[in-house]
């Protein structure tokens, strides 16, 4: 439980949001750009090592990027997630409703990570919010969260 909100309940609410875009299941092996909205991924989402995922806020300061994944999410080593074109108050959520989330070594992920199973971050990985906004939290609904040596989670909050 996170505060008064159960992680499973939060994942259910997110999963029921109207889908704007559909990303086919499988591996993202090249740099890819997404616009704001709800992205529904049936199956798993893997992002190959060294890939940059660009989240284009298109000038909207509080753009929302929600990735509902029905299985697991695996970010490879040195994956980089960035927000461009505004979005200092953007919200990014990675929601793995049926599996786990792994963040590879030296990866830099923006957003809140929720998994049904475990969450594991690699050595020197970073999970943070956008700009000065708070974010970078990791939650497991039914298992554990582990952090690799030198990992940073939850920075980026304005004073």
């Amino acid at each position: 439980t996170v505060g008064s909100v159960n992680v499973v309940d939060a994942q259910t609410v997110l999963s029921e949001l109207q889908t704007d875009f559909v990303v086919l299941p499988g591996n993202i092996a090249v740099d890819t750009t997404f616009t704001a909205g709800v992205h529904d991924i049936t199956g798993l989402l893997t992002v190959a090592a060294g890939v940059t995922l660009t989240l284009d806020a298109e000038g909207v300061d509080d753009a929302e990027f929600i990735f509902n994944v029905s299985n697991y999410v695996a970010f490879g080593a040195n994956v980089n997630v960035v927000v461009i074109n505004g979005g200092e108050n953007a919200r990014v959520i990675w929601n793995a409703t049926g599996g786990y989330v792994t963040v590879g070594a030296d990866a830099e992920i923006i957003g809140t990570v929720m998994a049904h199973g475990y969450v594991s971050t690699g050595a020197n990985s970073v999970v943070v919010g956008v700009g000065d906004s708070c974010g970078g939290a990791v939650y497991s609904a039914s298992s554990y969260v582990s952090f690799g040596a030198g990992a940073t989670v939850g920075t980026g909050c304005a004073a």
Side-chain angles (χ1 to χ4, degrees), residues 52-78:
T52 296
L53 298 181
T54 302
L55 308 180
D56 187 349
E58 299 181 311
V60 178
D61 184 58
D62 60 350
E64 293 185 338
F65 301 85
I66 299 171
F67 295 86
N68 287 318
V69 182
S70 66
N71 200 327
Y72 67 83
V73 178
F75 296 103
N78 296 304

Side-chain angles (χ1 to χ4, degrees), residues 69-130:
V69 182
S70 66
N71 200 327
Y72 67 83
V73 178
F75 296 103
N78 296 304
V79 165
N80 194 22
V81 177
V82 297
V83 175
I84 63 168
N85 297 326
E88 281 298 309
N89 293 307
R91 182 184 335 213
V92 180
I93 300 174
W94 304 94
N95 181 26
T97 59
Y100 57 85
V101 176
T102 60
V103 178
D106 298 306
E108 294 188 16
I109 307 303
I110 290 177
T112 298
V113 173
M114 293 189 293
H116 176 74
Y118 66 86
V119 178
S120 177
T121 67
N124 303 310
S125 60
V126 177
V127 181
V128 296
V130 178

